[in-house]
Amino acid sequence: MSGPPWDSDAFEARLRAVGAARYHDQHPFHLRMHAGTLSRAELQTWVRNRYYYQTRIPVKDAVILTKADDAAFRREWVQRLHDHDGRAPGEGGLELWLRLADTVGLARDDVASLSGVLSGVRRACDAYVELVDGAELLVAVAASLTELFAGDIMATRIAAFEKHYPWVDGDGLAYFRSRTQQAPRDAAFGLRFVQQHARTRADQQRCVDAVERKCEILWSLLDAVEAAHRRPRRSRHVLLRADAERPDGQLAVLPERAVRLNAASAEILALCDGEQSADEIARTLAARHPDTPQAFADVHEFLGEMARLGVIDLGA
Amino acid sequence: MATPAPQPWNLIAELSYRCPLRCPYCSNPLTWSSIRDGLDAAAWSHVFAQAAALGCVHVGLTGGEPSVRRDLDAIVAAADAAGLYVHLVTAGVPLEPAALPELASLGLRSVQLSIQHAEPTASDAIAGTASFARKLAVARAVRSAGLALTLNVVLHRHNLDRVPALIALARELDADRLELAHVQYEGWALPNRAALLPTRAQVDAAARAVRDAQRHATRPEILLVLPDWFAGRPKPCMGGWARRLLVVAPDGLVLPCHAARDLPDLAFWNVRERDLRACWEDAPGMNAFRGEDWMRDPCRTCPDRARDFGGCRCQAFRWTGDAANPDPACALVPDHDRLVTERDASSADAQLRHRR
């Protein structure tokens, strides 16, 4: 990028424009959450998987601390670790999230074990930590600036839960309430920091790019959560036929490609009837094959790949 | 023979070189009008069975224009009966939209429809004949018959700026896939290159438009390939010479690519005289550039040779007089400079001449 640096206001406007266009408040899953149309199972999947994101935040902030030479910066930033981890057991944002897990009907130990985290979610969250880890301090801070847009979504979410999901009661919403205070404070600090330290247009552009990348990561997290409850259906354009080279497998032939399926893949595809959700298919297979769980370890990942190749439609 | 013949995946069945369109970048051989439709439906049926036995999974019924064949329905049925996944690659004329349900019932699964531009007048001007309205009718008939629809647009200076409109049209027609393929500067496109070659700015803007469209929208699947004259690296032409694609021309000649007939000193065999396996595995022309033993420097030791297979033999011949030379689309090749000079001499004023 060339040209003179934007002034502070223009730079902030650029950062905010990224949020207006790409922040996950507009993701279909969030739109449905806020309109009150998520099922209890969908809400549970979100809580369980989003917890993995929550666990990555203090790790990410600790990485940022290692990049900072300035004591004043570290004093400010370390507050984020305390916010999420608390100063004692039973405190902090992670604890509040586990209370949310309790109130939506999940076992908190099960959620805390991260055993049911979807690999698409894991990949998105890990990509965030890697982005921060590989970046200079300025860009690492910029990636956190989606907090600029978080205050609004928390307020929307609290109102939506109170109205549409009244069974999420008591302490369940405490995390969201805490973030309505913390996110604007953190965002203001982060914004001032990048405004002061991005001195060239190229620096500023790297910050804008980081916010864009972060928005993509948040978006893909919800894509994975959403996909778990969609009901995949084999594309009507697929021709399944024998594979001359591998007698125990099949070929899924499509316009422009052919996909080789082993016996396990073929069994998964046979369940893609547009009736069962991806989540239900995964449970069916786990129950059917208790002795060979590794063959069906990541049904969701496989279905995502099949959708990308056009073998299945992810469905409604 | 150093390299054993690989298994072909895709049969390109060129049913006829006749076509009502006269696009200035037509990929027919220059001698197309002397090449007759030498295979009847029974002969094609025999070709399909042999291709399936060789390992082919797909068949693309193409041309020219395949729907000029009055026996297209019998050919479709034969291809399906052989177990092949049947595509029709058509310009939409003279194909009747009303014929699609019947073709679907006979085993057609997928239609690739060419359009020349996003606007009727401009599309008809490039095609050299009024055809846009019919193309849209065919597209709708394809979808209502439950078939997969790919829109194919050959890109050049005169339509490249309209990529966003082409994507919008593909969405409106509910296409599964949009193929945006830059002109290959061979055959009829070669004398028109000054008028067809886009500017770098056009190429870059089109790539951006595609990236924007792909964000958050999964349909249609969009395939855009950076043109080799701008990429600085050769295209993996045909996925490698006589490697995955098997072409049978209207006269029965078995080729590794539709343009290979125009290369000198290569002997290809005809499926009317020998069986398809022999034509594929043993014809001297097929083996001339199989594998890597034929490669010269810098391809011979290039780490990319497994990806680009040394590029396009026709382009190498056109620019250097020897089809075994490296493809000058590659920036590592001395002849590349001449190609760049030629590329940058394109002009908005140059006249397009239609195929005769």
Side-chain angles (χ1 to χ4, degrees), chain A residues 21-22 212 216 219 236-239 241 243 245 251 253-258 260 308-309 313, chain B residues 7 9 56-58 83-85 87 109-110 112 143 146-148 150 176-177 179 215-216 221:
Chain A
R22 302 187 180 190
E212 200 170 297
E216 284 171 8
W219 195 279
R236 61 182 173 172
H237 303 310
V238 167
L239 169 68
R241 45 167 283 181
D243 184 348
E245 289 181 24
L251 275 185
V253 190
L254 285 149
E256 317 304 339
R257 59 178 69 93
R260 209 158 237 152
R308 197 183 62 71
L309 292 170
D313 302 321
Chain B
Q7 172 195 327
W9 275 90
C56 279
V57 169
H58 293 272
L84 299 171
Y85 192 102
H87 307 260
R109 293 175 181 273
S110 156
Q112 179 182 307
R143 294 303 288 153
L147 303 179
T150 297
D176 298 284
R177 185 176 158 98
E179 278 188 9
R215 182 174 300 132
H216 300 172
E221 179 184 352

Side-chain angles (χ1 to χ4, degrees), chain A residues 54-72:
Chain A
Q54 301 301 127
T55 67
R56 298 301 89 194
I57 295 176
V59 171
K60 174 267 302 181
D61 286 324
V63 169
I64 287 180
L65 282 175
T66 67
K67 295 172 186 281
D69 289 326
D70 176 33

Side-chain angles (χ1 to χ4, degrees), chain A residues 178-254:
Chain A
S178 73
R179 290 304 293 167
T180 57
Q181 307 297 320
Q182 292 165 0
R185 181 204 65 201
D186 292 349
F189 176 81
L191 179 61
R192 270 200 313 282
F193 181 85
V194 299
Q195 283 173 324
Q196 283 166 9
H197 291 84
R199 298 207 174 81
T200 66
R201 171 72 77 84
D203 287 345
Q204 294 174 329
Q205 187 63 49
R206 278 202 300 283
C207 291
V208 171
D209 292 347
V211 177
E212 200 170 297
R213 176 79 189 105
K214 171 73 174 301
C215 284
E216 284 171 8
I217 285 169
L218 291 171
W219 195 279
S220 66
L221 188 163
L222 287 181
D223 280 347
V225 169
E226 186 180 47
H229 290 277
R230 291 170 77 174
R231 291 182 285 276
R233 179 192 294 275
R234 210 170 73 208
S235 163
R236 61 182 173 172
H237 303 310
V238 167
L239 169 68
L240 281 182
R241 45 167 283 181
D243 184 348
E245 289 181 24
R246 306 194 188 181
D248 61 334
Q250 282 185 309
L251 275 185
V253 190
L254 285 149

Side-chain angles (χ1 to χ4, degrees), chain A residues 8-284:
Chain A
S8 275
D9 290 347
F11 181 29
E12 181 179 346
R14 295 269 170 174
L15 294 166
R16 288 188 183 279
V18 174
R22 302 187 180 190
Y23 191 53
H24 64 177
D25 60 337
Q26 293 305 310
H27 192 284
F29 191 84
H30 269 155
L31 295 179
R32 287 178 50 228
M33 178 187 291
H34 299 152
T37 59
L38 291 186
S39 66
R40 181 184 283 254
E42 284 175 310
L43 214 49
Q44 287 175 338
T45 299
W46 176 72
V47 169
R48 176 191 291 284
N49 281 277
R50 172 79 193 200
Y51 182 71
Y52 185 62
Y53 180 80
Q54 301 301 127
T55 67
R56 298 301 89 194
I57 295 176
V59 171
K60 174 267 302 181
D61 286 324
V63 169
I64 287 180
L65 282 175
T66 67
K67 295 172 186 281
D69 289 326
D70 176 33
F73 177 93
R74 291 197 301 266
R75 259 196 309 280
E76 180 72 27
W77 205 269
V78 76
Q79 181 61 38
R80 294 169 181 244
L81 287 179
H82 300 318
D83 286 348
H84 281 274
D85 292 339
R87 290 180 182 270
E91 296 177 1
L94 287 172
E95 166 63 24
L96 294 182
W97 197 274
L98 290 174
R99 287 186 205 167
L100 172 63
D102 286 335
T103 57
V104 300
L106 295 169
R108 72 152 53 206
D109 291 348
D110 186 35
V111 173
S113 77
L114 304 176
S115 61
V117 174
L118 296 161
S119 52
V121 169
R122 206 173 270 273
R123 193 164 47 239
C125 300
D126 292 347
Y128 181 30
V129 177
E130 281 159 27
L131 167 70
V132 167
D133 195 22
E136 62 195 299
L137 179 63
L138 173 68
V139 171
V141 170
S144 305
L145 283 176
T146 44
E147 284 159 345
L148 284 169
F149 327 122
D152 288 347
I153 199 175
M154 291 299 163
T156 306
R157 190 175 291 161
I158 291 166
F161 270 70
E162 286 174 343
K163 181 170 175 196
H164 301 297
Y165 312 102
W167 47 274
V168 182
D169 55 6
D171 265 358
L173 303 182
Y175 176 78
F176 306 143
R177 294 208 172 91
S178 73
R179 290 304 293 167
T180 57
Q181 307 297 320
Q182 292 165 0
R185 181 204 65 201
D186 292 349
F189 176 81
L191 179 61
R192 270 200 313 282
F193 181 85
V194 299
Q195 283 173 324
Q196 283 166 9
H197 291 84
R199 298 207 174 81
T200 66
R201 171 72 77 84
D203 287 345
Q204 294 174 329
Q205 187 63 49
R206 278 202 300 283
C207 291
V208 171
D209 292 347
V211 177
E212 200 170 297
R213 176 79 189 105
K214 171 73 174 301
C215 284
E216 284 171 8
I217 285 169
L218 291 171
W219 195 279
S220 66
L221 188 163
L222 287 181
D223 280 347
V225 169
E226 186 180 47
H229 290 277
R230 291 170 77 174
R231 291 182 285 276
R233 179 192 294 275
R234 210 170 73 208
S235 163
R236 61 182 173 172
H237 303 310
V238 167
L239 169 68
L240 281 182
R241 45 167 283 181
D243 184 348
E245 289 181 24
R246 306 194 188 181
D248 61 334
Q250 282 185 309
L251 275 185
V253 190
L254 285 149
E256 317 304 339
R257 59 178 69 93
V259 181
R260 209 158 237 152
L261 306 170
N262 62 22
S265 312
E267 182 175 350
I268 298 171
L269 281 190
L271 294 171
C272 294
D273 54 6
E275 303 289 328
Q276 306 177 70
S277 73
D279 211 36
E280 289 161 344
I281 291 171
R283 286 168 207 276
T284 301

Side-chain angles (χ1 to χ4, degrees), chain B residues 151 153 155 163 166-167 178-182 210 222-225:
Chain B
L151 285 191
V153 189
L155 297 177
V163 161
L166 290 163
I167 294 169
L178 174 63
E179 278 188 9
L180 300 168
H182 281 267
V210 168
I222 305 175
L223 181 76
L224 171 74
V225 181

